[in-house]
Amino acid sequence: MNPATRPHPLHPSTVLVLLFAAAIATGTLLLALPLAQRSGLGGGWLTALFTATSAVCVTGLAVVDTGTHWSLFGQSVILGLIQIGGFGLMTAASLLGMLVNSQLRVRSRLLLQAENRALSLGDVRSVAKLVAVITLTVEALATLALTLRFAFSYDMAWRDAAWHGLFHAVSAFNNAGFSTFPDNVMRFVADGWVLSPLMAAIVIGGLGFPVLHELLLRRRDRVRLSLHSQLTLAGTAVLLLGGALAFANSEWNGTLKSLDAAGRFWGALFTSVSARTAGFNSLDVAAFNTETLLLHDLLMFIGGGSAGTAGGLKVTTAGVLLLAVWCEVRGYRDVEFAGRRLHEGALRQALTVLVLSSAVIGLGTLTLVPLVQHLPGIRYEAVLFEVVSAFATVGLSTGLTPQLPPAGQLLLVGLMFLGRVGIVTLVVALAQQASRRPYRYPEEKPLVG
Amino acid sequence: MNPATRPHPLHPSTVLVLLFAAAIATGTLLLALPLAQRSGLGGGWLTALFTATSAVCVTGLAVVDTGTHWSLFGQSVILGLIQIGGFGLMTAASLLGMLVNSQLRVRSRLLLQAENRALSLGDVRSVAKLVAVITLTVEALATLALTLRFAFSYDMAWRDAAWHGLFHAVSAFNNAGFSTFPDNVMRFVADGWVLSPLMAAIVIGGLGFPVLHELLLRRRDRVRLSLHSQLTLAGTAVLLLGGALAFANSEWNGTLKSLDAAGRFWGALFTSVSARTAGFNSLDVAAFNTETLLLHDLLMFIGGGSAGTAGGLKVTTAGVLLLAVWCEVRGYRDVEFAGRRLHEGALRQALTVLVLSSAVIGLGTLTLVPLVQHLPGIRYEAVLFEVVSAFATVGLSTGLTPQLPPAGQLLLVGLMFLGRVGIVTLVVALAQQASRRPYRYPEEKPLVG
Ligand SMILES: [K+]
Ligand SMILES: [K+]
């Protein structure tokens, strides 16, 4: 890797942080307007800040009910923030990263690492265009499918059906998890006609740019897929299937018990699809048993694909770590997958993301516990769950978030911001960093284990 | 690393496993004798198996009270098993590993990795002799100090004082944590004259062979310490001090509250020293709050020094992982410490130990939970604590172990064995494994984070 290392006036990752912060500030101002709230009263700054952060960071945690607290204007603001915070800002940040360096010598980390190639400005434009096309296409198709179903099978007026359809389509594709229904999507738990478009949008949005780009544009060249795309696709398949089976196993006699076979099938599948980053729930999260909460912690922590709308460690990060273990146990010299060996730097990056994420979640949980100890019947599992959900920008909740005192809400705001911006920024910064030392120390190997 | 890779009739790590199993089987037979139990009745096979495993694996978990259930003969058997399972078996296994390969071309992983040098048979003999000398010296001094204190300040008969002294000295040096007192060492919570010799023996025994060898034999050469020893010593110092401060912070108004300043000092220090692998307790573990239990989980999981009596990941393993993260964040090309760079293989080994240990603990906890759900007031934190304590061969207990049904006891037996033998075997096997593939795949770097 030979990143251009000359100092910039603004590092692209700084620009990214500032963009996110500006979007949240604007969203907070708009949501605090009397116009945004059904009550017609303005203010409620903390609620506005929390909701704006949750929307921009495509998390979906909410301290008030989206459908009843916010006016149509307020809901539109939330929808806009989701779109900006999801695919929109990722593209803008990538573009900005390039424009900052006028010599075009900063290569895009986004595609560089995935393709091992330099990028021209033409590539950048085509990526931006592709993002727009994918986003609008998927969202339009999902909106259409949902609107028709809502109108015909749920007796909604067309206007309502279209608004609910659009809102859920955008929320799903950007993996935001916000819903205009007070019970999220629980009323559709056995309705494949609603859940299928949602799941399709969630999975496509969760794969991330580089994978979609490759699948759409390079497929016709019949080139083999990059290691990144293969890892993401294989990991996603394993997690979706394994998650559904594990969930069915742990909730068969729990939240799935009252459902028929079809309901159990859709319930388990949708929960698995949604758990890693989307954060919709078709079943009652507060009724999950502890094993299910821990399973969710794991799925949320792993998250979805890199450089997209997903949070968490990312599928490739978890994949790189597990591959390294597997290849070590097998005695291979290199970490290998599908006929390629992994760049050594990837393992150290993955480990760094793992350790720092774990530290943030551990400290976040320990900080939140004293803030909720006055609430009756609070379990550690629920506190950990809420922290992982916020940091991995998933948005599932056992019901703790609306009960939080202001300090607890601010903590979650910080965790959502860190989870969405922090990890990306960190990795961008790591990828563009150069070795500072012109010499190397002599090598030694300590005993391990 | 160029390990000799020709196939052996018995791989040294297989020999190690068999030796441990044989020691446990013999111990079980002896402890099931009527002679071993104060009741004079034989049998109680599960209790004998559990106790023998706990002693050989230097864990210290107990389903019966050591001082009242077992006769003097039984206690002597336990003491012998501790000695065999602690330093004794480590030496025997290392020697055997060499003898199996008659060409002496299997280098000792034990010292090879720490010193990056081949070993001659003479070295092996001197190591074995050194082990015996250190063991006997430290145990004799600790026995003397404890016996005097017990006799003069606790009004014990000399015979009793000497037995209690010897038992605790051996138990401490081998980091076993067994005690002949029903309240472990809680009666000495503020007695520095008892706790100091215990702590000295625990820390020395917990550093592991390679470090002791280097400190004693190579000090006079004024050679710089190996990376392994520096990491172990620095990590141990940080963990001891940090653990004591964190413990004092979380239990200041808890189990430390009723103590005076001296009591708080000794209580916090001894708990920190003992928590990582020794498993003695001078305070009531069942009364610890949840933060303290989680702190203990972390300290127990990290454990002590490699190739000694300690369990857990080991200090160097944790150190290697954290150094890798630190150097990655700083943008260094290599993982560096104290003017040396780490062999890349060490990072993958450390990651492997981390991931596999975490998986065992996670699965162990999930398996144990259904077995204890009938017990009143069982918290997940306590189940996790007991599993970590068993797997890291620490032996601290919130009181769950004696309440376990047979299946739960057998699970802990398995965890202790895996924790003591599994990790060592794994690392020996990894270190002696050769790359199986004569060619390397082309390199690619996936996106991470
Ligand atoms: K989400
Ligand atoms: K122990």
Side-chain angles (χ1 to χ4, degrees):
Chain A
M1 211 172 36
N2 290 308
T5 50
R6 63 189 60 190
H8 311 297
L10 270 181
H11 193 283
S13 57
T14 313
V15 174
L16 192 85
V17 173
L18 293 178
L19 270 176
F20 266 90
I24 290 172
T26 311
T28 305
L29 287 175
L30 290 174
L31 289 176
L33 293 175
L35 182 62
Q37 298 167 35
R38 279 206 205 281
S39 69
L41 298 173
W45 290 99
L46 185 56
T47 300
L49 171 67
F50 191 95
T51 307
T53 308
S54 184
V56 170
C57 299
V58 290
T59 306
L61 284 174
V63 287
V64 293
D65 178 50
T66 307
T68 52
H69 182 88
W70 305 109
S71 66
L72 195 64
F73 171 76
Q75 292 179 26
S76 307
V77 169
I78 292 172
L79 207 60
L81 293 175
I82 289 172
Q83 193 77 276
I84 288 173
F87 266 34
L89 200 47
M90 290 301 296
T91 323
S94 311
L95 289 172
L96 252 163
M98 321 229 155
L99 294 176
V100 165
N101 186 310
S102 53
Q103 294 87 8
L104 281 177
R105 285 185 55 199
V106 166
R107 295 161 169 207
S108 161
R109 159 192 159 272
L110 191 64
L111 290 166
L112 166 69
Q113 291 186 315
E115 306 186 359
N116 261 332
R117 276 207 208 157
L119 259 159
S120 70
L121 190 59
D123 284 333
V124 172
R125 287 206 181 110
S126 87
V127 167
K129 206 184 291 172
L130 184 69
V131 170
V133 169
I134 297 173
T135 303
L136 294 178
T137 307
V138 176
E139 287 179 0
L141 289 175
T143 303
L144 185 67
L146 292 171
T147 301
L148 291 175
R149 182 70 181 168
F150 289 161
F152 287 121
S153 301
Y154 293 88
D155 284 330
M156 287 187 198
W158 277 102
R159 191 194 136 97
D160 287 346
W163 176 243
H164 287 305
L166 174 66
F167 195 96
H168 284 85
V170 173
S171 185
F173 181 67
N174 291 289
N175 277 298
F178 275 98
S179 168
T180 41
F181 302 118
D183 60 350
N184 206 287
V185 296
M186 283 171 63
R187 64 187 66 179
F188 311 115
V189 61
D191 187 346
W193 294 102
V194 170
L195 297 185
S196 297
L198 283 180
M199 288 193 286
I202 289 169
V203 171
I204 294 172
L207 288 176
F209 273 14
V211 176
L212 295 178
H213 177 245
E214 232 185 307
L215 286 178
L216 285 170
L217 290 193
R218 300 178 71 193
R219 193 176 35 115
R220 58 189 170 205
D221 306 336
R222 301 202 173 277
V223 192
R224 71 185 285 290
L225 283 175
S226 69
L227 183 58
H228 177 78
S229 291
Q230 293 202 48
L231 258 180
T232 304
L233 292 171
T236 301
V238 167
L239 287 168
L240 287 182
L241 198 66
L245 291 176
F247 179 79
N249 176 58
S250 69
E251 287 292 325
W252 195 258
N253 291 313
T255 54
L256 292 175
K257 194 170 186 177
S258 60
L259 302 173
D260 60 6
R264 286 178 164 175
F265 172 80
W266 289 112
L269 188 62
F270 184 80
T271 302
S272 176
V273 167
S274 184
R276 276 183 303 121
T277 176
F280 288 107
N281 61 296
S282 68
L283 292 161
D284 183 10
V285 178
F288 287 163
N289 63 43
T290 305
E291 280 83 358
T292 309
L293 292 185
L294 295 176
L295 170 67
H296 270 78
D297 288 337
L298 186 64
L299 292 174
M300 296 193 291
F301 188 57
I302 294 175
S306 304
T309 61
L313 288 184
K314 305 298 182 301
V315 172
T316 44
T317 308
V320 164
L321 292 169
L322 290 181
L323 279 179
V325 171
W326 173 250
C327 293
E328 178 71 17
V329 169
R330 301 282 299 171
Y332 297 160
R333 178 168 45 168
D334 302 310
V335 183
E336 303 168 353
F337 183 72
R340 289 288 181 277
R341 77 183 141 98
L342 257 76
H343 186 283
E344 275 151 18
L347 179 57
R348 278 175 60 187
Q349 273 185 27
L351 180 69
T352 303
V353 172
L354 171 74
V355 170
L356 295 184
S357 299
S358 305
V360 170
I361 287 171
L363 290 176
T365 305
L366 289 178
T367 311
L368 193 53
V369 163
L371 298 176
V372 298
Q373 259 169 349
H374 63 284
L375 298 172
I378 288 297
R379 297 176 302 163
Y380 255 80
E381 298 96 275
V383 178
L384 174 67
F385 185 91
E386 219 79 5
V387 167
V388 175
S389 178
F391 183 66
T393 69
V394 174
L396 292 172
S397 172
T398 61
L400 188 60
T401 294
Q403 298 176 271
L404 288 178
Q409 292 188 27
L410 286 175
L411 179 67
L412 289 195
V413 164
L415 284 171
M416 292 190 281
F417 193 75
L418 256 182
R420 182 76 178 135
V421 188
I423 295 262
V424 172
T425 308
L426 174 72
V427 177
V428 170
L430 293 183
Q432 297 187 343
Q433 231 169 11
S435 173
R436 300 184 184 181
R437 207 186 289 281
Y439 55 89
R440 301 177 82 180
Y441 288 128
E443 187 176 81
E444 231 182 292
K445 184 172 186 183
L447 267 173
V448 150
Chain B
M1 213 174 36
N2 291 306
T5 51
R6 63 189 61 191
H8 312 295
L10 271 181
H11 193 283
S13 57
T14 313
V15 175
L16 191 86
V17 173
L18 293 177
L19 271 176
F20 266 90
I24 290 171
T26 312
T28 305
L29 287 175
L30 290 173
L31 288 176
L33 294 175
L35 181 61
Q37 299 167 36
R38 279 209 205 279
S39 67
L41 297 172
W45 290 99
L46 185 56
T47 300
L49 171 66
F50 191 96
T51 307
T53 307
S54 184
V56 170
C57 298
V58 291
T59 306
L61 283 174
V63 287
V64 293
D65 178 50
T66 307
T68 52
H69 182 89
W70 305 107
S71 67
L72 195 65
F73 171 76
Q75 293 178 25
S76 308
V77 169
I78 292 172
L79 207 60
L81 294 175
I82 290 172
Q83 193 77 275
I84 289 173
F87 265 34
L89 201 46
M90 290 301 296
T91 323
S94 311
L95 290 172
L96 252 162
M98 322 229 155
L99 294 176
V100 165
N101 187 310
S102 53
Q103 293 88 8
L104 281 177
R105 285 186 54 201
V106 166
R107 296 159 168 207
S108 160
R109 159 192 161 273
L110 191 63
L111 289 166
L112 166 69
Q113 292 187 314
E115 305 186 2
N116 262 333
R117 277 205 206 158
L119 259 158
S120 71
L121 191 58
D123 284 333
V124 172
R125 285 204 183 112
S126 86
V127 168
K129 206 185 293 174
L130 184 69
V131 171
V133 170
I134 297 173
T135 303
L136 294 178
T137 307
V138 176
E139 289 179 357
L141 289 176
T143 304
L144 185 68
L146 292 171
T147 302
L148 290 176
R149 182 70 181 167
F150 290 160
F152 287 121
S153 301
Y154 293 89
D155 284 329
M156 288 188 198
W158 277 102
R159 191 194 134 97
D160 287 346
W163 177 244
H164 287 304
L166 174 67
F167 194 95
H168 284 84
V170 173
S171 185
F173 181 67
N174 291 288
N175 277 298
F178 276 97
S179 168
T180 42
F181 302 118
D183 60 350
N184 206 288
V185 296
M186 284 171 63
R187 64 187 67 180
F188 310 115
V189 61
D191 187 346
W193 293 103
V194 171
L195 298 184
S196 296
L198 284 179
M199 289 193 286
I202 289 170
V203 171
I204 294 171
L207 288 175
F209 273 15
V211 175
L212 294 178
H213 176 244
E214 231 186 307
L215 286 179
L216 285 170
L217 290 193
R218 300 178 71 193
R219 192 177 35 117
R220 59 189 169 206
D221 305 337
R222 301 203 173 274
V223 192
R224 71 184 284 289
L225 283 175
S226 69
L227 183 57
H228 176 79
S229 291
Q230 294 202 47
L231 258 179
T232 304
L233 292 171
T236 300
V238 168
L239 287 168
L240 288 182
L241 198 65
L245 291 176
F247 179 80
N249 176 59
S250 69
E251 287 292 325
W252 196 258
N253 291 313
T255 53
L256 291 175
K257 194 170 187 178
S258 60
L259 302 173
D260 61 5
R264 286 178 163 174
F265 171 79
W266 289 112
L269 187 62
F270 184 79
T271 302
S272 176
V273 168
S274 184
R276 276 183 302 120
T277 175
F280 288 107
N281 60 297
S282 67
L283 292 161
D284 183 8
V285 178
F288 287 164
N289 64 43
T290 305
E291 280 83 358
T292 309
L293 292 185
L294 294 176
L295 169 67
H296 270 78
D297 288 337
L298 186 64
L299 291 173
M300 296 194 292
F301 188 58
I302 293 174
S306 304
T309 61
L313 288 184
K314 306 296 182 303
V315 172
T316 45
T317 309
V320 164
L321 292 170
L322 290 181
L323 279 179
V325 170
W326 173 250
C327 293
E328 178 72 17
V329 169
R330 300 283 299 171
Y332 297 160
R333 178 168 44 170
D334 302 311
V335 183
E336 303 168 352
F337 183 72
R340 290 288 181 278
R341 77 183 141 98
L342 258 76
H343 186 283
E344 275 151 16
L347 180 57
R348 278 174 60 185
Q349 274 185 28
L351 180 69
T352 303
V353 172
L354 172 74
V355 169
L356 295 183
S357 299
S358 305
V360 169
I361 288 171
L363 290 176
T365 305
L366 289 179
T367 311
L368 193 54
V369 164
L371 300 175
V372 299
Q373 258 169 349
H374 64 284
L375 299 171
I378 289 297
R379 297 176 303 164
Y380 254 81
E381 296 96 276
V383 179
L384 174 66
F385 185 91
E386 219 79 4
V387 168
V388 175
S389 177
F391 183 67
T393 69
V394 174
L396 292 173
S397 172
T398 60
L400 188 60
T401 293
Q403 298 176 272
L404 288 179
Q409 293 189 27
L410 286 175
L411 179 68
L412 288 196
V413 164
L415 285 171
M416 292 190 282
F417 193 75
L418 256 182
R420 182 77 177 133
V421 188
I423 295 264
V424 172
T425 308
L426 174 73
V427 177
V428 171
L430 293 183
Q432 297 188 343
Q433 232 169 12
S435 173
R436 298 184 186 180
R437 208 186 288 282
Y439 54 89
R440 301 177 81 179
Y441 287 128
E443 187 177 82
E444 230 181 294
K445 185 171 186 184
L447 267 174
V448 149

